[in-house]
Amino acid sequence: MPRGKTTGKVTGKSTRQLLFSEALQQQKHPSAEDSPPLPCANMTEDIQGATMDRILQEISAVSRKLEGMDNAMVALTAETRSMRLDIAGFQSQMSMLDQRVPTVETQVAPWTDRDLELSHLRSKLTELQDKSRRNNVCLLGFPEGVEGADIFSYLRDILPKLTDVTFNPPP
């Protein structure tokens, strides 16, 4: 098998890890034609240092995200407390209203009876007014107030003249 190529077997390692391990094996077993070996310790230290720097950067990024999440949790906690206080206030107002409603209902109940009685009395009043108007006689063509203080004597005198009828007993 030529060196530098992967075998194609699934080993659970990434291609990068396989290439790195093969490069290390080449350095341990140099061929006779190759140049003098490179310092292996420096290369692994450089790779380990770069890996450590990358890990530290990721840890720092995660730390910043956690701080942001912590600040958001503090804000949510404060908002939740505020909502709890608002809900408690609403509950006390509702309990006061629940106590007042039966009182108002007992006060309003007689009003409905009074409304029924009032509408009944209004209908009776309208009926009485209509009946009293039906028996009224209205004479047109006479000026207002011509009859004077005694309407009956005025009518007794004027009706026989207007109708040319003599009344036997006078009206």
Side-chain angles (χ1 to χ4, degrees), residues 58-73:
E58 289 180 16
I59 289 173
S60 176
V62 167
S63 175
R64 283 191 301 271
K65 288 180 181 178
L66 286 175
E67 286 175 10
M69 290 170 69
D70 188 40
N71 292 338
M73 287 299 292

Side-chain angles (χ1 to χ4, degrees), residues 72-147:
M73 287 299 292
V74 168
L76 282 173
T77 303
E79 189 172 337
T80 303
R81 285 184 185 138
S82 172
M83 287 180 173
R84 283 184 190 160
L85 291 174
D86 289 345
I87 289 171
F90 291 143
Q91 286 175 338
S92 67
Q93 287 178 353
M94 287 297 293
S95 66
M96 287 185 339
L97 289 174
D98 284 342
Q99 292 170 358
R100 291 178 62 190
V101 165
T103 306
V104 171
E105 286 176 344
T106 56
Q107 290 175 352
V108 169
W111 292 355
T112 56
D113 296 338
R114 289 181 190 152
D115 286 344
L116 290 173
E117 184 181 356
L118 182 61
S119 65
H120 179 68
L121 290 174
R122 282 184 180 161
S123 66
K124 275 188 171 182
L125 178 64
T126 304
E127 183 181 332
L128 289 173
Q129 286 175 344
D130 289 346
K131 284 183 179 178
S132 68
R133 286 188 192 130
R134 287 185 210 143
N135 295 331
N136 288 345
V137 176
C138 185
L139 300 175
L140 300 176
F142 293 100
E144 189 74 30
V146 81
E147 71 276 0

Side-chain angles (χ1 to χ4, degrees), residues 1-8 18-19 22 26:
M1 172 172 86
R3 294 195 176 265
K5 293 193 176 185
T6 59
T7 60
L18 289 173
L19 290 175
E22 287 180 9
Q26 284 179 0

Side-chain angles (χ1 to χ4, degrees), residues 11-19:
T11 60
K13 293 183 178 179
S14 68
T15 307
R16 178 187 247 169
Q17 289 173 336
L18 289 173
L19 290 175

